[in-house]
Amino acid sequence: MAGGKLTPRQKMINMMYLVLTALLALNVSKDILDALAKIDKGYSETITTVERQNQATYNAFVAAATENPTKAGPWKEKAFDVKAKAEDLSSYITKIRSEIEEQAGGRDEETGKLKRPDNREVAANYMLNPKDVGGQDGAKVLKQKLSDYKATLLEMAGDDEELQNQINTTFDLSDQKVGEDATPASWEKATFEHFPLIAVLTFLSDIQADVRRMESETIEHLQTNIGKSDLKFTGVKAIVMPKSNYVTQGDMYEADVFLAAYDETQDPEIIINGNPLPEDQIVNGAGKIALKATTVGENKWAGVIKIKQNGEIKEFPVEAQYTVAPPSVVISPSKMNVLYRGVANPLEIGVPGVDPKKIRVSGPGVSGSNGNYVANVDKISGKEITISVSVEEEDGSVRPAGSKVFRLKGLPQATGMMYKKSTGILSKSAVMQAEIEAEFKDFPFDFPMKVVAFEVKLDGQPPMQVRGNRFDSNIKKYIEKAKPGSSIQVRNIKAVGPNNYRVNDVGNISIDLN
C-alpha cells in the first residue's frame, strides 16, 4: 500500500480500506449493545417505581396540609415546588431521548429495538453541537437545568449535611476525565462524546433516575420537618395535663405543666401561684406540680411559663381548675394515658371504700376482675371508647359509679434494624449474613416482632422483594458484586407480632458497604 507508484484506482481502493479499518476499530460488539439496552430498561423500571413512591409521599403531604394547614401547609408547598422542577427536568430528558431516537432512525415496529443502536453521530451532534451548525445544544441546556435543580434541592435540604453531600455527589457537573491519562473534559463532552446511541440513552436514563431518586430523598426530608423544632414556636400555648381533674379529699392534685413547643436545649422557668418551681421539679420541659386538695369543690390556680426565644424572654400565662370531691370512682391506665391497638392494655380500676369483687366494669374489649383489667382494642373502630364502672349493692342492685373516655391509637412506627443498627457502615459479608429485625423503641409494652417480608434497593439495581427476614441467594450475589462505598437500603419492611398482629409501619434501613 505504501510503496511504488500507484494508479488512481489503487489509491481509491487504499483509501476505502483505511476507512473500513477505522470503522471496524470503532465497532461495538452486539453483546455490549444488548447489555446497555437491558440496563436502560432497568433504569426505566426504577424510575417508574420511584415515581410511584414519590406520588404516595405527595399524597401524604396533601392529607397533612388538609388536616393542619398551618403546620404542614408550608412544607407541602416546598415539596410541590420540588415536584414541579423534577417533572420539568424529567420531561426535558424524555424529550431529548425521543428526538435523538427519531433522528437516528427510530425503533423497529415489531421488536421495539433501536434500528441503529451503535450510531455515534446523531447523539453527539444533538447534544454537543450548537443549533447554528445543525445541533440542539442538548447537553448545554441539560447541564443548566440540572444545575438549577441541584440548587433547588440544596435549598430544600437546609442544614442536613448528609443530604447536601448526597445531592452534590449525585449532580457533580464539574470537568471529568474520560480515561486515567486523559486531560479533563467538560461534563458535556465526558458524558456524550464518542459514545454509541444506546450508551447515550442509558446515560440519560441514569440521569433521569438520579433526578427522581433525589426528588424522593428531598421530599422525605421535608416530610420529617412537619412538626419539628423550626415550627415549635408557631401558635405556642401552655398546656396543663392533670392526672385527674377530680381529686378525693385529702389526696394530692397532680399535673404536668409544659409548653407544647418544648425546646430540649433549655428548661423553662415555671411560676405557680407566685412561687417558682424548683429546678428538680422541671424535667424535659415539663413542670411537676403538686397541690394539696383540702377544700371540697372547685379550685383554681394560675401561673406563668418563661422561656428564652431568639434572645428574648417570652412569657406564657397558664391557668387551670380542678374539682375536689368526696370519694368516687377512679380509672387510670397503669402504663399510659391512651389505649393502643395490638397490645393488651392493663387497667387498674377501683372505687374507694368498695370491695373490688363488687365492682362491675364494662367497655368494648375490656375484661378482668378484682381491680385488674385488660383492654384489647385492636378490633374496635373509631378514635375513642368509654369505660363505665358500677357497683353492686348488698341488695343485688347496681348503681353507676362513673365513666371515662379513652383515646385509641395505633402502634407507633417500629424501627428497622440490622445488627441493632438502622444506619451505618458494614462489610458485605456481614450484610449478607444479617437478619432483618423490627423493634419498637422506647415503647412501654413488650411486643416482639418477626420480619416476614421486605424490599431491597442496591445502587444501580431495581428494587427487589424478599420474603422472610434474611437476604436470599440472588440478592447476596448483587451484594457481593457491589462496590465499596455503595449503599443498600431495606424498606417496605413487614413484620408480625403477637397473635399474628401485622405491623406494616417499619422504618427503613440504610447501610453503606465497605
Side-chain angles (χ1 to χ4, degrees), residues 335-336 338-346 375-380 382 407-415 438-450 494-507:
K335 282 196 174 182
M336 67 207 83
V338 296
L339 302 178
Y340 288 91
R341 291 185 171 91
V343 296
N345 297 268
N376 291 290
V377 297
D378 54 301
K379 295 183 180 179
I380 298 173
R407 293 176 294 126
L408 303 183
K409 295 184 66 175
L411 295 174
Q413 184 183 52
T415 301
E439 178 182 310
F440 287 118
K441 295 286 189 180
D442 300 322
F443 192 55
F445 294 89
D446 291 327
F447 195 88
M449 289 179 287
K450 182 175 181 179
K494 313 296 182 187
V496 173
N499 300 319
N500 290 322
Y501 191 89
R502 297 192 65 84
V503 179
N504 295 324
D505 189 12
V506 182

Side-chain angles (χ1 to χ4, degrees), residues 293-443:
T294 57
T295 305
V296 175
E298 186 177 276
N299 290 263
K300 296 182 179 180
W301 62 269
V304 63
I305 299 177
K306 299 180 180 181
I307 192 168
K308 182 180 289 187
Q309 185 181 27
N310 298 324
E312 180 183 354
I313 299 296
K314 300 284 187 179
E315 295 189 0
F316 302 93
V318 57
E319 62 180 31
Q321 62 184 35
Y322 60 97
T323 300
V324 178
S328 62
V329 65
V330 178
I331 304 175
S332 61
S334 59
K335 282 196 174 182
M336 67 207 83
N337 59 0
V338 296
L339 302 178
Y340 288 91
R341 291 185 171 91
V343 296
N345 297 268
L347 301 171
E348 295 178 357
I349 302 176
V351 178
V354 177
D355 185 348
K357 294 180 180 180
K358 298 292 184 179
I359 295 175
R360 302 291 179 262
V361 179
S362 62
V366 178
S367 61
S369 62
N370 293 329
N372 296 309
Y373 298 83
V374 172
N376 291 290
V377 297
D378 54 301
K379 295 183 180 179
I380 298 173
S381 60
K383 296 183 178 180
E384 59 184 31
I385 65 170
T386 298
I387 298 178
S388 301
V389 177
S390 56
V391 175
E392 181 181 348
E393 302 288 12
E394 294 296 327
D395 60 0
S397 62
V398 176
R399 65 173 175 86
S403 64
K404 190 174 183 66
V405 176
F406 288 83
R407 293 176 294 126
L408 303 183
K409 295 184 66 175
L411 295 174
Q413 184 183 52
T415 301
M417 296 180 297
M418 184 187 299
Y419 299 113
K420 301 299 180 183
K421 298 169 63 174
S422 296
T423 59
I425 301 175
L426 292 172
S427 66
K428 290 190 286 187
S429 60
V431 171
M432 287 189 289
Q433 300 301 319
E435 176 182 349
I436 307 303
E437 301 173 314
E439 178 182 310
F440 287 118
K441 295 286 189 180
D442 300 322
F443 192 55

Side-chain angles (χ1 to χ4, degrees), residues 169-404:
T169 301
T170 301
F171 300 114
D172 182 4
L173 304 177
S174 61
D175 293 353
Q176 302 172 17
K177 286 186 177 182
V178 179
E180 292 184 2
D181 299 328
T183 57
S186 67
W187 176 85
E188 299 95 310
K189 289 188 176 182
T191 307
F192 300 109
E193 192 174 44
H194 303 310
F195 292 107
L197 173 63
I198 184 59
V200 172
L201 295 180
T202 302
F203 295 158
L204 289 171
S205 293
D206 183 27
I207 295 171
Q208 199 169 29
D210 285 340
V211 169
R212 290 305 191 185
R213 180 171 60 86
M214 294 315 302
E215 174 192 9
S216 176
E217 295 288 344
T218 303
I219 62 177
E220 286 181 8
H221 165 76
L222 292 174
Q223 191 177 35
T224 62
N225 280 279
I226 297 178
K228 286 185 67 175
S229 58
D230 55 347
L231 289 179
K232 64 186 178 182
F233 292 115
T234 300
V236 169
K237 66 176 183 178
I239 299 296
V240 179
M241 186 175 291
K243 290 185 176 179
S244 175
N245 282 322
Y246 288 85
V247 185
T248 302
Q249 186 175 11
D251 288 343
M252 301 293 291
Y253 166 83
E254 296 179 298
D256 290 340
V257 182
F258 58 92
L259 287 177
Y262 167 59
D263 183 357
E264 63 181 5
T265 65
Q266 60 174 326
D267 279 330
E269 179 186 359
I270 301 176
I271 301 173
I272 303 298
N273 292 337
N275 300 312
L277 283 185
E279 291 184 0
D280 60 358
Q281 289 182 230
I282 303 176
V283 180
N284 294 330
K288 307 291 184 179
I289 71 172
L291 303 175
K292 188 72 173 179
T294 57
T295 305
V296 175
E298 186 177 276
N299 290 263
K300 296 182 179 180
W301 62 269
V304 63
I305 299 177
K306 299 180 180 181
I307 192 168
K308 182 180 289 187
Q309 185 181 27
N310 298 324
E312 180 183 354
I313 299 296
K314 300 284 187 179
E315 295 189 0
F316 302 93
V318 57
E319 62 180 31
Q321 62 184 35
Y322 60 97
T323 300
V324 178
S328 62
V329 65
V330 178
I331 304 175
S332 61
S334 59
K335 282 196 174 182
M336 67 207 83
N337 59 0
V338 296
L339 302 178
Y340 288 91
R341 291 185 171 91
V343 296
N345 297 268
L347 301 171
E348 295 178 357
I349 302 176
V351 178
V354 177
D355 185 348
K357 294 180 180 180
K358 298 292 184 179
I359 295 175
R360 302 291 179 262
V361 179
S362 62
V366 178
S367 61
S369 62
N370 293 329
N372 296 309
Y373 298 83
V374 172
N376 291 290
V377 297
D378 54 301
K379 295 183 180 179
I380 298 173
S381 60
K383 296 183 178 180
E384 59 184 31
I385 65 170
T386 298
I387 298 178
S388 301
V389 177
S390 56
V391 175
E392 181 181 348
E393 302 288 12
E394 294 296 327
D395 60 0
S397 62
V398 176
R399 65 173 175 86
S403 64
K404 190 174 183 66

